[in-house]
Amino acid sequence: MKIVVIGGSGLIGSNVVARLGRAGHEVVAASPRSGVDVISGQGLAEALKEAQVVVDVANSPSFEKDAAMAFFQTAGRNLLAAEKAAGVEHHLALSVVGTERLQQSGYFCAKAVQEALIEASPIPYTILRATQFFEFVGSIVDDCTDGDEVHISPALIQPIAADDVSAALADLAAGMPLNGMVEVAGQDRIPLDELARKYLARRNDGRKVIADARARYFGSALDDRTLTADRGARLGPTRFNNWLASAVFRA
């Protein structure tokens, strides 16, 4: 099949492109650097010509509410309209586990709008909701840092390796549309403060982690359900401790 990966040069997109290419598909890595812009619409029609599947892993460059909303609304409408015109048979999008439970965050409000646009479109679709990536733990810790202290929720999180998310996307892209959502998560449910301590210890970072049930996660309050997947979710094989032991961090 011809499969177009929107956001095909990023962490997830480039991995998906490589996996689909190895499986024998004709793959287009579409991104602004390749001349495809989902905001202006530039290059979309040409990229989608004769494509059967579109995988959308493009992300807003900003977590700010208005900016994220503008991105996902504009990109979603432009992309779905171009897919309809091109006769695309399957729209596969990456979203986030717990989106409906994170609506105190403007970014996740925007992700919910993206999902609604996909569901309202006539194009057969699959939405893959993933839990937070291992690779993003550092950003979570930094967002919760105040001086030398990290005030972070002890709520459970079920993080996953980006590589395992990419594998799930490639598998779904080669299959039939589900016209629904499926979740993918890591093997382990870990208190967020414990995850932060492990991460900082591995990096020899002396910041002190303080478990604070009132601490926000990008603006949202958490409980043990917010960042964990439903029963029946796909589980990636990579465990956080194994990933952390082999991870290479920039100085």
Side-chain angles (χ1 to χ4, degrees):
M1 292 186 293
K2 179 179 177 180
I3 302 176
V4 179
V5 181
I6 304 294
S9 63
L11 173 67
I12 300 294
S14 59
N15 192 321
V16 173
V17 167
R19 287 175 177 275
L20 291 171
R22 289 196 297 269
H25 299 287
E26 177 188 352
V27 189
V28 176
S31 69
R33 71 175 61 175
S34 69
V36 180
D37 189 330
V38 291
I39 298 301
S40 69
Q42 180 182 354
L44 270 178
E46 183 62 27
L48 298 186
K49 188 177 180 181
E50 299 183 351
Q52 286 82 46
V53 181
V54 170
V55 182
D56 181 14
V57 295
N59 198 13
S60 170
S62 171
F63 268 46
E64 191 273 325
K65 180 179 180 179
D66 291 342
M69 188 66 74
F71 177 88
F72 286 118
Q73 284 184 327
T74 304
R77 288 170 180 152
N78 286 344
L79 183 56
L80 290 166
E83 289 178 28
K84 183 179 179 181
V88 170
E89 299 167 6
H90 185 187
H91 178 95
L92 170 60
L94 179 62
S95 193
V96 183
V97 164
T99 289
E100 75 282 5
R101 300 186 289 272
L102 291 160
Q103 291 299 292
Q104 292 167 302
S105 162
Y107 174 83
F108 291 104
C109 288
K111 288 297 289 183
V113 168
Q114 179 194 24
E115 292 180 350
L117 286 170
I118 294 166
E119 290 169 334
S121 167
I123 301 166
Y125 72 92
T126 304
I127 296 172
L128 177 67
R129 280 184 165 186
T131 52
Q132 191 54 265
F133 305 157
F134 296 161
E135 291 82 356
F136 201 62
V137 172
S139 295
I140 297 171
V141 170
D142 290 343
D143 189 66
C144 295
T145 295
D146 182 7
D148 293 329
E149 295 180 342
V150 180
H151 293 259
I152 195 166
S153 172
L156 293 177
I157 188 171
Q158 194 175 353
I160 186 171
D163 187 58
D164 293 344
V165 175
S166 301
L169 282 165
D171 180 56
L172 290 167
M176 297 296 292
L178 301 177
N179 291 314
M181 295 185 188
V182 62
E183 294 186 342
V184 65
Q187 295 276 338
D188 304 307
R189 298 184 176 200
I190 310 166
L192 194 49
D193 62 313
E194 180 181 330
L195 194 76
R197 289 189 188 94
K198 289 182 176 182
Y199 173 83
L200 292 173
R202 172 67 174 78
R203 301 212 54 180
N204 296 313
D205 188 318
R207 281 178 285 178
K208 181 181 180 181
V209 175
I210 298 173
D212 182 353
R214 298 170 299 176
R216 296 286 175 133
Y217 178 86
F218 299 105
S220 289
L222 299 181
D223 58 31
D224 284 345
R225 183 71 188 90
T226 311
L227 301 177
T228 56
D230 291 335
R231 291 184 179 181
R234 295 180 177 217
L235 297 180
T238 309
R239 292 189 180 274
F240 180 73
N241 287 346
N242 294 337
W243 174 86
L244 189 63
S246 61
V248 177
F249 299 104
R250 294 179 181 178

